[in-house]
Amino acid sequence: MPQIIILPHHELCPEGIVIETKSGETVCNAMLANDVDIEHACEMSNACTTCHIYVREGFDSLPESDEIEDDMLDKAWGLDPDSRLSCQSVIGDVDLVVEIPKYTINQVSENH
């Protein structure tokens, strides 16, 4: 069973967390199911960047991003080569190390 190791984030998981998950699940759904309340303003429809993450380890085990995700990522705050949208990142059989960016481009967070 693969794991997602989420590095500490000042608001969402200050201590970091290790999540046991299933292959075929998205990173976003796995985080939400484990009380890591990552924003997902478009309800995971690949239409925003609020669930942007950095996949620090295991990036190559994810299915390739499509053109729509790439276009969305171009708008993300703090884009880097390890960037993905967590709603589009389907977990395989490899453990992932994930970092949640400090900011999103979302001007209003529904949870605050």
Side-chain angles (χ1 to χ4, degrees):
M1 200 171 221
Q3 294 182 330
I4 304 172
I5 299 138
I6 301 174
L7 300 176
H9 181 274
H10 67 286
E11 284 182 18
L12 301 179
C13 56
E15 305 294 317
I17 188 172
V18 177
I19 297 171
E20 297 283 335
T21 189
K22 300 179 285 194
S23 297
E25 186 171 22
T26 66
V27 173
C28 188
N29 281 332
M31 286 195 274
L32 293 171
N34 287 275
D35 299 319
V36 179
D37 294 324
I38 190 163
E39 291 188 53
H40 52 287
C42 71
E43 296 301 320
M44 298 175 259
S45 66
N46 200 11
C48 75
T49 64
T50 59
C51 72
H52 171 223
I53 57 171
Y54 303 116
V55 182
R56 299 301 187 199
E57 292 180 26
F59 185 91
D60 291 336
S61 71
L62 299 173
E64 247 185 82
S65 59
D66 64 17
E67 190 173 325
I68 296 169
E69 181 181 357
D70 292 340
D71 288 346
M72 285 291 108
L73 283 169
D74 284 342
K75 301 172 186 173
W77 180 90
L79 182 68
D80 83 5
D82 297 332
S83 290
R84 288 297 302 265
L85 297 181
S86 65
C87 71
Q88 301 301 304
S89 300
V90 178
I91 301 159
D93 295 326
V94 174
D95 293 347
L96 302 175
V97 176
V98 169
E99 181 180 357
I100 302 169
K102 187 173 182 177
Y103 303 108
T104 71
I105 62 168
N106 199 16
Q107 294 186 5
V108 177
S109 175
E110 295 178 19
N111 295 328
H112 301 289

